[in-house]
Amino acid sequence: MKNIMRKRSLSLIIILYILFNAAHLNNINYDSSVQNVFGHNFAPNSNALFMASLDQFQTESNLVNTNLVNNNLSLAQDHADKAVSIFTWDLMVKITDRDKKIRDDLKVAVENLRNLTSSYSDTPSWVQVEKQKLELSNQLTASIDTNVDKIIAITETQKKSVDSNYLNQVVTSISNIFSPKEDDSNGLIHPMRFAELLDSVLRNYGYAYGVDFDMTDMSNMAMMHTDKTSETNSLINMGDYQSAQGLAAKSLEVFDNYLYHMMSNYETSDYRNNLESGLIQLNSSIKDKASPMDIMMIVHSQIHPNLIGAFDIKLLSST
């Protein structure tokens, strides 16, 4: 019986080898496309990207509530639309694979949150009604927060289960021979989640200030040094600015809740302290509406080098 099982496993591995080889031949230019997506040439990590999208969804949902409290209906609607878009295009299918009930609960919550912003009124006669709607908004965002935390926990558990399966280890090894290396190790999920969040901070800050290039690509900093017009960038989109500010705060939260404890040994203590200092400066600079160049400098020259050093993050080859 054991011999039969071994033969079946070997046959499956050979089949997978052939499939991955075929996929490699059909996607020979895949490396360059991956490098275009990941501005810092970080090896992709699918679970980290999923969690970072959850973080963005959660941040946008909470910004709805923040703006309703401040009676800024247009900004509340803007963030509600962003939350629905992230959920629909980036999250719904992946959440369905993990837990359909949570998918349904999140779908109802975020759609109700958007409907709530559309029905708001700032006329005096509606004050009591709006107070009730604000309470409902609090309930909806609390539900979103709870369910996002559940999905993150489920993702971590599933990843550990996959990593412990021998056949999955073999398949992963084969796939990495014939396709771009995907550093999807469990220990790097939260560091890479953190890196993805920083990218989203830079993108939203760029949108907020009308920057016409990719702020996640550090090579563009040289262009900013020589381009004097970059000094004239002014804040043109408050919604995107709020998103950048909220995501920077979320990055600090991920650092405090996950990365800090992962860097508890002596060898990484300097990296940890430098990361914390850079994050505090990033949040402070965004609050003070610093220039896009200043924000890029903090992320690319202070935060990223220490993140890479602390977790020995592998970069994709530029060749």
Side-chain angles (χ1 to χ4, degrees), residues 71 73 119-131:
N71 202 33
L73 305 186
S119 63
Y120 243 73
S121 171
D122 55 5
T123 57
S125 61
W126 280 73
V127 171
Q128 185 59 38
V129 175
E130 302 313 318
K131 182 180 179 180

Side-chain angles (χ1 to χ4, degrees), residues 30-45 176 179-183 192 308 313-319:
Y30 184 76
D31 275 342
S32 60
S33 65
V34 170
Q35 292 174 15
N36 288 334
V37 174
F38 295 85
H40 314 287
N41 288 338
F42 290 142
N45 185 306
N176 281 336
S179 63
K181 302 289 192 235
E182 179 167 347
D183 200 341
M192 292 306 301
I308 292 169
I313 295 176
K314 300 297 186 290
L315 302 179
L316 293 172
S317 173
S318 59
T319 58

